[in-house]
Amino acid sequence: MNAISLSPVPGSGAAVSAGSVWTPWAAAALARPLLRLTRGSLVLLGLLLALAAFALATQPQLRDGIESRALAWLLERQMSAFGVAVDPQAIDRVTVSDPQALPDEQERVANWLSRKYRVAKEPMSALVAEAFVVGKQLDLDPKLILAVMAMESRFNPFAASPVGAQGLMQVMTRVHSAKLEDFGGNMAVFDPLTNLRVGAMILRDTIRRSGSIEGGLRLYVGAVSTDGRWYIDRVLSERDRLHRVAAGQNVGFNAPQRRTGLSTASASNPPAVSEAAQMQAPARESDAVAPASMEHPPIPAAEQAAKAPPVSPSPEPVQRLDTPYPGTPYPAA
């Protein structure tokens, strides 16, 4: 029989012969150097990671450079995989809001407008929420802001008129460039929330100048050759519908339209109203906001002339809801 040699005593440092029996003591003897090597490697790796973290924390430029290179590498990988450039930050530029996160009043308004104008609920919810915030800041009825937006662009943020009015509330960029400068320049007119804010400021100024909501709407649309009744009726009718929708009533999309009460003679043969008479005009509605002591810059005549619709014979021009710029009337059928 072949003799089987026993393994060396642990800690003796003796080598294990090729024919010796594999015992736990032999395994421990071989694992001990490997463990020391691994432990030293982990300590070195931890030290390197600590130094790297310290360098990134104290060198923002280095950190930004690494992030940019890593992002560019990932985008190249995704583009090679999908065949089109991707942008992980695109979600940050989307103007949307969760309809269910809105208060009940705003949610009802957003759902009704979404169905009527065939706009997705999420972007409509963002516009409704912003209108309520801006309306509170400017002491302006948010439903009036939304009604003007509906008549001006049908909630198309890229709408443009032949005379240069642009965006949701058809802001004249060449006239109101000073307001847009605070938002980054004239191109901001195509940002939905920026257009809403600037348009609401213009609407507030026109209401205060005229002394009434009706007069403010007339100045907003630039109706200098007519009394603007066709526009005022449509805006105020839509505002009234939104008030009823917000209260929880079941309102049809084409509910009866209100009338401003202007005389037929004034509609067919409008008088020339002087600047002084406009400034002294009394409020026609109880919800008009017109502090007489406050000074407001006049609406430039260029905007009024540019947005003014052409003079049409009686009966009044018929407005089609699908026109990109409600200030441009269509001839009566």
Side-chain angles (χ1 to χ4, degrees):
M1 296 179 64
N2 295 330
I4 301 175
S5 61
L6 298 177
S7 61
V9 178
S12 63
V16 181
S17 63
S20 63
V21 177
W22 188 263
T23 64
W25 294 283
L30 290 176
R32 196 171 291 115
L34 182 61
L35 181 61
R36 284 196 296 267
L37 179 61
T38 303
R39 186 178 300 167
S41 300
L42 291 176
V43 171
L44 180 60
L45 179 61
L47 181 60
L48 292 176
L49 290 176
L51 292 175
F54 178 78
L56 292 176
T58 56
Q59 300 292 331
Q61 296 179 351
L62 178 62
R63 182 176 64 250
D64 294 341
I66 294 176
E67 291 177 353
S68 300
R69 291 188 181 91
L71 179 60
W73 179 77
L74 289 174
L75 293 177
E76 289 178 0
R77 291 290 303 272
Q78 290 181 338
M79 185 172 180
S80 61
F82 299 106
V84 65
V86 296
D87 186 0
Q89 298 178 347
I91 188 64
D92 298 333
R93 300 192 298 270
V94 179
T95 304
V96 293
S97 180
D98 184 3
Q100 298 180 353
L102 299 178
D104 292 341
E105 176 188 11
Q106 297 181 28
E107 183 180 5
R108 287 192 289 267
V109 171
N111 288 336
W112 190 85
L113 289 173
S114 173
R115 288 184 288 111
K116 178 174 181 177
Y117 294 98
R118 299 182 181 181
V119 177
K121 291 182 180 180
E122 290 78 7
M124 182 63 75
S125 298
L127 295 176
V128 170
E130 185 68 13
F132 274 78
V133 171
V134 172
K136 184 177 181 181
Q137 294 172 345
L138 300 179
D139 194 20
L140 198 62
D141 184 0
K143 286 95 169 177
L144 180 64
I145 299 175
L146 293 169
V148 170
M149 207 180 309
M151 294 303 106
E152 291 286 350
S153 68
R154 293 181 62 84
F155 297 98
N156 178 5
F158 309 119
S161 77
V163 296
Q166 296 174 318
L168 285 172
M169 297 190 71
Q170 293 291 277
V171 175
M172 300 288 291
T173 52
R174 68 176 182 269
V175 177
H176 298 289
S177 58
K179 290 184 175 66
L180 290 167
E181 282 298 323
D182 295 333
F183 296 91
N186 285 355
M187 289 300 176
V189 75
F190 295 110
D191 170 55
L193 299 186
T194 298
N195 193 288
L196 190 156
R197 294 166 186 167
V198 174
M201 288 190 291
I202 298 171
L203 179 61
R204 178 202 55 184
D205 292 343
T206 59
I207 291 175
R208 287 180 171 178
R209 279 192 66 234
S210 66
S212 70
I213 289 180
E214 292 182 0
L217 291 174
R218 179 178 178 274
L219 291 178
Y220 189 90
V221 76
V224 293
S225 58
T226 68
D227 61 7
R229 182 172 64 176
W230 53 271
Y231 181 81
I232 296 171
D233 284 345
R234 287 189 178 277
V235 171
L236 295 184
S237 297
E238 192 73 352
R239 183 201 62 174
D240 294 345
R241 295 185 192 110
L242 293 178
H243 275 294
R244 292 165 56 193
V245 169
Q249 300 181 24
N250 186 15
V251 182
F253 293 156
N254 297 314
Q257 180 172 308
R258 62 168 285 165
R259 296 296 178 184
T260 60
L262 298 177
S263 63
T264 305
S266 64
S268 59
N269 197 9
V273 181
S274 65
E275 183 73 15
Q278 288 185 14
M279 296 298 292
Q280 298 175 1
R284 298 184 184 179
E285 295 191 9
S286 59
D287 53 352
V289 286
S293 61
M294 298 186 65
E295 294 183 358
H296 300 280
I299 303 302
E303 180 179 7
Q304 298 184 27
K307 296 182 71 172
V311 179
S312 300
S314 182
E316 288 193 18
V318 176
Q319 290 292 306
R320 269 189 11 206
L321 290 181
D322 57 351
T323 173
Y325 181 61
T328 305
Y330 287 85

